Amino acid sequence: MNEELIISGRMNPYIDPHLEVWEWQIPLYLFLGGLAAGLLFFAAYFVMTGKEKKYPTTVKYGPIVAFIAISIGLVALLLDLKHPLYFWQLYTTIRIDSPMSWGAWVLLIITFVSLIWIFSYLKEAFPKYNCKIGFIHNLLGIFIVKNDDETWEWKYSWLDTFEKYAQSNRYAWAWVMAVLSVILGVYTGILLSAFNARPLWNTAILGPLFLTSGFSTGAAMLMIMTKNHEERLSYSRIDLFLIVIELFFITHLFMGFLASSQVKVEAAHYFLGGEFTVTFWVNVIILGLVLPAVLEALELLKYKIPVIIPGLLILWGGIMFRFIMVEAGQIIRYLY
Amino acid sequence: MRYGMAIDTKKCVGCSDCVVACQTENNIPHGYARDWISETVSGTYPELALEIRSERCNHCDNTPCVRTCPTGASHVIEGGIVKVTHEECIGCGACVESCPYDARYFHPDGYVDKCTFCDHRVKNGQDPACVSVCPTYCMYFGDLDDPNSEVSKKIATRKTKVLAPEAGTKPQIFYLI
């Protein structure tokens, strides 16, 4: 048998023996970004289709969770930078070729759009402003007139004007947010797939796959959050549909690898018998996709399933999928 | 003007003089390296073949590192040399991930660093530090666009290969085999 033994004298930190440039921060962000994309998309979609009355949790509270998720994700991204004080350099330029550049811009814009959305629904989501958390209460005190029955009354007239504007243009903002959330969801996949040096990531299916997975985690989150039975049931249906699509994409991912060049065939074998086989199949496929799909199907067949179980399983699958993809992608490389 | 290198794998003995010269010339922090030696043994005993290579950034024609950089810190200068502006680098790691040769690393100060083909020496008409110290004269540096340069002649008359051509980066360091 012809064998090759390679010895490299290079031992750069984070680079050798295998790449560890992206640790927990990037996969965590990819998960939170996908989750936020899902939450914002559903909120926007049900306003666009005029069903906001049927989906109160999605429209009013979903974007708040999305905003918190994006904020934590942004902190994770900042922690990932090795030169963090220079982060503002991202916003001095737009580089069309670099997914990270337009991702950073989309992230900035969608954060503001989600804030406008939250603002326009604030009085409906919280009829009284009696917030238990001290610092948020004090923060609100800057903008509102405090009164005894704790109803909302803005201190400044421009807040009233802005609120009226936001409320009367919800339909338009819904379109903006829907488009941006799809870009955000796809971006979490494209961020990885743009690197032709990492065979596992370098496949066009990663964008749609991460988008579907993000939407599926968003739906799972809403399924856990809502107290409305009908809303919950429709998210069970949506999730079931998304999981089937995701399984289809994952099958395609490996089929594509196995029919590709040598490095990609090797990349696929890491998941089909190699190092990541058990972690991937147990956590992502079985616990994260197949089991919740079965539970949701049973629920649709009128069995009583506590919603928290499939919900948490899907979130677990989503987060494990990203951690495994980022870790494995950096181990599999071209030369040695 | 297109700078490039030819490295004779038949002459290289893997002494690592190029590595040390680079570390000294460019003040590389301890434990890091912009160039390195790789040794490949192939075949079945007793029919073995050994190839020793001095490797570094390939200063590719099609640069994924420059393409994926979100701030424009990674850029190409005159002669096709790929460089990083330290003050513009945010340390996101996109270029490190995009390099099939893993030729980039994080400087302990946070920015990404890499081989510069010693452009500060080259613009004064000198060879890069690694080339100038090689005791076996196995490295040739020069203008690939000029058919009369030593490096072009070596590439024209010898059998050559580049590393990971399937990655599509069009590397500009040619190994004479």
Side-chain angles (χ1 to χ4, degrees), chain A residues 133-309:
Chain A
I133 306 164
F135 87 96
I136 295 182
H137 194 90
N138 294 340
L139 202 69
L140 282 173
I142 304 171
F143 300 107
I144 55 176
V145 182
K146 290 191 177 170
N147 51 20
D148 288 338
D149 51 353
E150 297 190 317
T151 49
W152 293 89
E153 195 186 333
W154 299 113
K155 236 180 210 174
Y156 310 102
S157 63
W158 59 268
L159 280 168
D160 280 313
T161 321
F162 184 51
E163 190 179 30
K164 277 204 194 75
Y165 162 77
Q167 284 171 346
S168 53
N169 290 294
R170 274 174 188 166
Y171 187 77
W173 281 115
W175 269 98
V176 174
M177 205 160 80
V179 172
L180 285 174
S181 64
V182 171
I183 298 178
L184 179 68
V186 173
Y187 160 65
T188 59
I190 304 249
L191 177 69
L192 300 184
S193 72
F195 298 123
N196 65 336
R198 312 292 148 207
L200 180 69
W201 295 348
N202 188 217
T203 160
I205 202 122
L206 225 55
L209 175 56
F210 272 60
L211 176 74
T212 319
S213 170
F215 278 16
S216 153
T217 53
M221 192 64 167
L222 289 164
M223 199 162 73
I224 297 172
M225 280 163 61
T226 180
K227 294 191 176 71
N228 181 328
H229 183 67
E230 253 180 65
E231 200 175 359
R232 179 175 301 166
L233 220 56
S234 67
Y235 278 117
S236 272
R237 270 195 210 103
I238 292 173
D239 238 342
L240 196 54
F241 173 71
L242 288 172
I243 285 173
V244 172
I245 304 236
E246 217 180 315
L247 285 170
F248 172 76
F249 279 155
I250 288 175
T251 316
H252 254 60
L253 178 80
F254 289 120
M255 275 172 66
F257 281 148
L258 290 173
S260 189
S261 56
Q262 181 62 28
V263 275
K264 292 195 177 178
V265 175
E266 280 166 19
H269 281 303
Y270 271 76
F271 290 84
L272 307 170
E275 200 178 328
F276 290 95
T277 313
V278 177
T279 351
F280 180 77
W281 286 85
V282 170
N283 286 296
V284 180
I285 304 291
I286 297 175
L287 289 178
L289 295 170
V290 175
L291 192 57
V294 171
L295 292 176
E296 277 164 356
L298 285 176
E299 192 179 8
L300 293 178
L301 294 171
K302 305 274 189 271
Y303 286 90
K304 281 254 179 284
I305 309 281
V307 70
I308 190 93
I309 298 175

Side-chain angles (χ1 to χ4, degrees), chain A residues 14 22 32 62 144 156 194:
Chain A
Y14 297 110
W22 287 348
L32 293 171
I144 55 176
Y156 310 102

Side-chain angles (χ1 to χ4, degrees), chain A residues 1-16 19-22 26 80-84 86-90 92-95 97-101 194-198 201 261 263 329-330 333-336, chain B residues 31-34 36-44 53 55 64 66-72 74 86-106 109-111 163-164 166-169:
Chain A
M1 202 179 94
N2 194 45
E3 282 190 9
E4 224 179 35
L5 182 70
I6 304 170
I7 303 165
S8 159
R10 189 186 60 200
M11 210 56 208
N12 285 335
Y14 297 110
I15 312 295
D16 301 293
L19 230 55
E20 289 174 314
V21 173
W22 287 348
I26 294 286
D80 169 69
L81 299 181
K82 303 262 187 316
H83 223 190
Y86 288 74
F87 82 97
W88 50 269
Q89 289 278 4
L90 278 172
T92 57
T93 173
I94 297 178
R95 301 185 65 83
D97 280 355
S98 164
M100 207 182 262
S101 174
F195 298 123
N196 65 336
R198 312 292 148 207
W201 295 348
S261 56
V263 275
Q330 296 186 98
R333 57 190 187 186
Y334 267 98
L335 285 173
Y336 35 76
Chain B
Y32 293 78
R34 287 183 184 178
W36 60 92
I37 300 289
S38 84
E39 297 178 14
T40 311
V41 180
S42 53
T44 314
R53 295 192 300 259
E55 295 182 12
V66 173
R67 199 168 59 237
T68 50
C69 177
T71 66
S74 282
H86 299 163
E87 297 76 32
E88 283 178 22
C89 175
I90 60 173
C92 66
C95 57
V96 181
E97 297 281 5
S98 74
C99 177
Y101 311 103
D102 297 311
R104 290 165 167 251
Y105 64 90
F106 286 105
D109 288 347
Y111 52 81
L163 297 181
E166 66 274 25
T169 53

Side-chain angles (χ1 to χ4, degrees), chain B residues 89-169:
Chain B
C89 175
I90 60 173
C92 66
C95 57
V96 181
E97 297 281 5
S98 74
C99 177
Y101 311 103
D102 297 311
R104 290 165 167 251
Y105 64 90
F106 286 105
H107 191 279
D109 288 347
Y111 52 81
V112 166
D113 202 23
K114 65 182 284 299
C115 164
T116 60
F117 263 172
C118 283
D119 63 324
H120 60 287
R121 288 172 59 91
V122 170
K123 71 181 170 210
N124 296 334
Q126 294 171 295
D127 274 339
C130 52
V131 176
S132 66
V133 297
C134 181
T136 64
Y137 300 104
C138 79
M139 287 192 266
Y140 308 90
F141 177 84
D143 185 2
L144 298 173
D145 282 346
D146 173 12
N148 294 319
S149 68
E150 196 180 11
V151 61
S152 297
K153 281 183 190 158
K154 283 287 172 194
I155 293 167
T157 54
R158 291 274 300 271
K159 209 172 164 187
T160 64
K161 74 167 182 186
V162 292
L163 297 181
E166 66 274 25
T169 53

